[in-house]
Amino acid sequence: PEGHGPVVVINQPKKAASSRTKRTQTSSTAAVSHSVKTAEKLQPHEIKDVLTNRRILDTTRAKRCFGLVVNSPLELQGVLARMDDTVPSIDAARFAELLIVQIHADANRASSPVSVLPCSTPLETPEEKFREGSQAASKLKLLADGIRPGLYKHEAMLVMSIWTIVLKSDQFSFFSELMYKLSQGIVLRSSASAAATCSLARIFVTLSLLAADIQRVRVMLCDMLMDAVDSPHALPVLANSLAIWPDVLQMPSTSVSDTTENVTEQAYELMIRVFQAIAAGIHDLYKEEKGPEEADKLYSVMVAQCGWRLPGHAEFADTLLVEVKNTLNGLDHDSRGYPVVMAAFNLLAPYMI
């Protein structure tokens, strides 16, 4: 349907299974099917009971809440919007683990090019029948109207459901713990596909956008580039992240004036130039591996939305390192710009070895 995002379901060929494997598959399928049907049968008061039951373990609540996120997202959002109670403590690590597994499963069912390249489909808002008074839906819709972040339907539904839980949670640390785990899922990657990592990045950045936490995204991108030195696979994550929230690494349209009041702005401009130099090098590596068309399309996000130079016109990292060192030496340690420039130095240093 229109507006749902171009997610394509691919039917994978099935391997022949032994009688033992068939019994296991049948049992697992039956268990999953029963779980889905049970979730679909829950009435609003039953969903509320699942959310507010204080007699269960935090890990159990995380599993049950996530089951509602996947199986009954609109119903969950509706119940949370009407609730006067708060949701008790949820095991953020367990919730993040389930979310990452779900994102990987969704990404593996989607066509690779659609998921790796930034999505141009506007963020989907809830159906008309869903209540306009939902806090999460209205805030998400407001932000979408402003900057048009591109998410696929299943990603948007996950974001809206998670955000409603965050707003109703009585656990102050739930959001920060959840986001830390999601950030680690992006940075460390392990054996995750590029499609899954990009999907996770889009969800992470959109949640950060809702929380107005731009610094969280900058830190994640710094960690990613430092962990994956000269890795071409960092380019899709960078492009997908900035397609959602370009302000994270938006190049100033004019040079920041050299005044004491603008020390922090100058520091951030220098940091963005460092990102640009590193990304230009990664673009060249990605072009060798995947071809110029895909590499250029990914990098064009930064050029068009963040005001970056084309890769061939980007500054050289070794030249920038000298400027970063000189700037760092000229700043007091208690200056607001010092930690920003230090981060730029730490980001650039591994690429100089």
Side-chain angles (χ1 to χ4, degrees), residues 28-42 67-68 70-73 102:
S28 300
T29 303
V32 172
S33 177
H34 175 71
S35 173
V36 171
K37 288 180 180 178
T38 302
E40 289 175 347
K41 289 179 181 178
L42 289 182
L68 293 171
V70 173
N71 295 298
S72 307
Q102 183 67 39

Side-chain angles (χ1 to χ4, degrees), residues 6-18:
V7 177
V8 179
V9 177
I10 302 174
N11 294 320
Q12 300 291 347
K14 298 181 179 179
K15 297 179 180 179
S18 65

